[in-house]
Amino acid sequence: MHKTSPQRWQINELLLPVSVLLILVCYTYGVLFMVPYSGFNFNNNNGRIAEIYSDQTPSLQLDDVLIKIGPVSWENYKKDARVLFFEGVQEGDIVEITVRRNGAEIIIPWKFKGFDQDAFNSRFFNIWWLAFIFWFFGTAAQLLIRPKDGLRRLFIAANYLTALWLIFGILSHSHLWESSILLHATTWLMLPVYLHLHWVFPRPLKELPKMVWIVAYLTGFAFAAAEIIQVFPKSLYIFGFLATLLGSIILEAVHYIRQKDQRRDVLLITSSIFIAFIPSIIFGIILVTDVFLQIGPLALLALPIMPLAYFYVIYRRQSGGLEVRLNRFISLYSFLILFGAVLSMLIVPISNLDISLETAVFLGILAIPVTAGVAITTFPVFQAFVEKRFLGITLPYQNLQETYSNHIAANTSIKELLQLLDGEIFPSLLVHQFAFMQVFNGKLKTLLVKNVPPGQMPHENDMLKLAALAGTYPPYD
C-alpha cells in the first residue's frame, strides 16, 4: 500500500497539467480551423467591419456596421454569449448580411468564403502560443519547485489560469465553445489567486486569518458562476481584470516599501513587466507603417519574460548550478528585447528614405557587421548592470578570488569581513543560505545567519560532533 501511494500521487498531480494542455490544444484547434472563415473580420465591440478577405460583388466595405448576419441580429449576438454567427453555414452558401453604411441600411448577399490562406496566416501568427508559455511555467513549477508550499500552489494556479484566460480570450469574439463565457468566468477566478499571490510574494506582508482568503475565493467562484449563467452585464468582467492588475501592482509596491530586504526581487519583477511591454508599446506607437504591420507580432516574444522572472525568484534558492544559467539567460533575453526594440525604432526612418535599391542593399549589408559589433561590445556592460542591480551579483565572477583577497587585506575587523561576505561575496557566489558560528569560552555564538531556520542551527551539545567533522562535507538529509 505504501509503495503505490507515491505513484498514485504523482499520477494525480500530472492530471492538472495534462488537462490544461488538452484544453489549450483543443481551443487552439478551434482558433485555427473551427471559427468560421467568413471572408471578413469585424470589431467585436461595435460591429464595424475591420478587414475583408473575399473579393466579391456586391461586397462589404470597411467601416460598415453590422446589424444582422443571417437570422442573428447584432443586439442578440452581444446580449447572449452562446449565440453564433454563420452557424451551420457551408462554403459557397449565400448569407444575407445587413449593415449600416452612410446612415442607410443595406442588405448584402454575401457568399460564405470558407477556408482562406491569408486569414489562416493571420490567425496562426497571433498570440495563441502565449497560452502555452504560461502553461509551460506552471508545469515547470509543479515539477521543479520545492517545497510544495502555498506560494508554489499560487504560482502554478496563476500560470494555468492565465493560459486559459489567453486562449479563451482569443476565441471569445466568436462565442465558439462557450469561450466568451469562460473568459469572463476565468477572469473572476484569477482575481483572488493573483491578489493572494502578490500578498505572499516574495514574502507575506502579514499573516491574515484563513477566513479572509476563504471568503475571497468563494466570492471569485460565485462571480464566475454568475458569468456562466449570464446574470452580469457583459462588460463587468473588465473591472475584475482591472482589479487583478491594479491590485497586484499596489501589493508589490507595498512589498517594496515595507520589506527592504525584498526590494531586489520586487524590482526584478517590475522591471520584467516593463521590459515585456516595451516592444508592444513601440509597435503600437508606429503601427501606421507598413513594415511594422509585418514584424509587429515579434513584439509578443518579449511577454514570456514576466513568468520567467517570477519563476526565477521562487526557484533560484534550490536551483543550484542551474541558477548561473538562469542568470545568464535572463540577461541575454532582456538584452535581446531592448536591443531589438531600439533597432525597430531605427528601421522606421531608414525605411522611409527615398533611396535606390542598390543603396538599400548596400546599407543592409553594412548594417549587419555594425549591428553585430554594437551588440558584442554592449552586451557585457548590460549583463554586468543586470547582475548587479537586479540579481545581486555585485562582484565579477571571473576575478572573484583576486577581488576577495584584496577586500580581505582592506578589512581587518570581523564585522567588516562579515559585511563583505554577506553583502558582496555570497551574493556573487549565488549562496542564499548560510550560518557562521563562533566558539567562545566553550559556547557557540552566532555571527551571521541567513535563511536558516532556528531548528537547523547547531547546539552547544553538538560541538564535539562538529569538531570531528572538520575538513569534511557532511551529507545533507
Side-chain angles (χ1 to χ4, degrees):
M1 181 69 180
H2 292 288
K3 293 182 179 180
T4 58
S5 296
Q7 184 177 3
R8 290 179 181 177
W9 174 84
Q10 292 175 2
I11 294 176
N12 291 336
E13 191 173 61
L14 286 176
L15 287 177
L16 179 59
V18 171
S19 300
V20 175
L21 179 62
L22 289 176
I23 295 174
L24 297 182
V25 171
C26 179
Y27 276 78
T28 300
Y29 179 82
V31 170
L32 299 178
F33 300 104
M34 298 305 295
V35 174
Y37 282 87
S38 59
F40 66 93
N41 285 333
F42 59 88
N43 187 313
N44 196 51
N45 294 321
N46 53 28
R48 194 175 299 277
I49 303 299
E51 294 178 293
I52 300 175
Y53 297 103
S54 179
D55 185 14
Q56 54 183 281
T57 304
S59 177
L60 294 169
Q61 295 182 10
L62 296 179
D63 293 331
D64 284 349
V65 179
L66 291 174
I67 296 177
K68 194 175 183 182
I69 297 180
V72 180
S73 67
W74 176 255
E75 288 78 9
N76 192 29
Y77 181 79
K78 293 296 292 181
K79 181 180 179 181
D80 190 349
R82 293 188 170 91
V83 171
L84 303 176
F85 282 143
F86 300 105
E87 188 173 12
V89 177
Q90 302 296 322
E91 181 179 352
D93 289 352
I94 302 299
V95 180
E96 289 189 347
I97 299 180
T98 306
V99 298
R100 181 179 294 107
R101 181 185 300 169
N102 298 326
E105 292 189 7
I106 302 174
I107 298 178
I108 298 175
W110 184 258
K111 184 178 181 180
F112 187 78
K113 183 175 181 59
F115 181 82
D116 180 81
Q117 188 63 48
D118 291 336
F120 175 81
N121 293 340
S122 177
R123 297 182 186 185
F124 185 81
F125 296 102
N126 213 302
I127 64 172
W128 55 267
W129 54 269
L130 279 177
F132 291 89
I133 296 293
F134 281 89
W135 173 86
F136 170 80
F137 281 106
T139 303
Q142 278 195 268
L143 297 176
L144 300 175
I145 291 180
R146 297 295 183 272
K148 298 181 179 181
D149 55 8
L151 178 59
R152 171 183 177 270
R153 290 191 294 270
L154 288 169
F155 180 71
I156 293 171
N159 277 279
Y160 286 156
L161 285 173
T162 304
L164 295 174
W165 185 82
L166 285 168
I167 203 68
F168 294 150
I170 298 171
L171 267 178
S172 63
H173 74 282
S174 67
H175 295 181
L176 184 69
W177 298 338
E178 308 278 309
S179 54
S180 179
I181 293 175
L182 291 174
L183 169 68
H184 298 182
T186 305
T187 303
W188 293 112
L189 295 178
M190 289 170 59
L191 177 58
V193 171
Y194 266 80
L195 293 182
H196 195 177
L197 172 63
H198 290 96
W199 180 269
V200 301
F201 179 84
R203 193 179 67 197
L205 290 171
K206 185 180 179 181
E207 196 68 32
L208 293 178
K210 291 184 178 180
M211 185 56 62
V212 173
W213 297 116
I214 292 176
V215 172
Y217 283 104
L218 288 178
T219 302
F221 277 106
F223 276 63
E227 291 284 3
I228 292 176
I229 60 178
Q230 301 192 81
V231 298
F232 284 159
K234 299 304 175 189
S235 59
L236 184 63
Y237 83 100
I238 297 176
F239 293 97
F241 174 75
L242 291 176
T244 301
L245 182 62
L246 295 177
S248 300
I249 294 174
I250 292 172
L251 287 175
E252 285 306 307
V254 175
H255 279 285
Y256 186 84
I257 295 172
R258 296 182 57 182
Q259 300 176 344
K260 295 182 179 181
D261 59 329
Q262 302 296 318
R263 285 182 176 179
R264 181 173 283 114
D265 289 341
V266 175
L267 190 60
L268 176 60
I269 294 299
T270 54
S271 299
S272 69
I273 296 174
F274 177 72
I275 293 174
F277 283 100
I278 282 180
S280 298
I281 293 171
I282 293 176
F283 172 68
I285 294 174
I286 51 182
L287 188 62
V288 294
T289 61
D290 292 337
V291 62
F292 276 85
L293 290 176
Q294 298 177 7
I295 70 173
L298 294 178
L300 300 175
L301 293 174
L303 295 180
I305 197 174
M306 290 189 297
L308 173 62
Y310 280 86
F311 181 84
Y312 170 83
V313 172
I314 297 174
Y315 180 61
R316 66 179 178 177
R317 290 185 178 178
Q318 62 191 64
S319 57
L322 181 62
E323 185 176 353
V324 177
R325 300 178 185 178
L326 286 174
N327 290 342
R328 295 172 181 173
F329 180 75
I330 290 176
S331 300
L332 178 60
Y333 194 10
S334 303
F335 177 78
L336 291 177
I337 293 172
L338 297 176
F339 192 71
V342 173
L343 285 180
S344 301
M345 295 175 64
L346 296 176
I347 290 176
V348 173
I350 294 176
S351 62
N352 291 330
L353 294 177
D354 187 12
I355 57 178
S356 63
L357 178 61
E358 293 79 4
T359 304
V361 173
F362 173 76
L363 290 177
I365 296 175
L366 181 63
I368 294 175
V370 172
T371 302
V374 172
I376 292 173
T377 55
T378 57
F379 174 67
V381 178
F382 178 84
Q383 183 181 30
F385 173 79
V386 171
E387 289 181 345
K388 182 177 181 179
R389 297 298 180 184
F390 301 107
L391 305 180
I393 303 175
T394 57
L395 299 178
Y397 64 89
Q398 296 91 341
N399 303 312
L400 189 57
Q401 291 181 342
E402 294 84 349
T403 305
Y404 184 37
S405 300
N406 295 333
H407 279 67
I408 290 178
N411 296 276
T412 57
S413 68
I414 294 180
K415 181 179 179 181
E416 291 175 341
L417 288 174
L418 291 175
Q419 291 176 348
L420 172 64
L421 290 171
D422 187 27
E424 298 187 22
I425 302 299
F426 283 157
S428 300
L429 290 173
L430 307 178
V431 176
H432 305 292
Q433 187 179 37
F434 53 83
F436 274 87
M437 312 294 293
Q438 182 185 40
V439 179
F440 185 75
N441 293 331
K443 297 183 178 181
L444 282 176
K445 178 182 178 182
T446 301
L447 296 180
L448 186 64
V449 63
K450 184 175 183 181
N451 296 325
V452 178
Q456 295 183 6
M457 296 291 291
H459 192 267
E460 292 181 3
N461 297 331
D462 299 326
M463 289 177 57
L464 294 178
K465 296 180 180 179
L466 293 174
L469 292 174
T472 62
Y473 182 82
Y476 177 77
D477 296 330

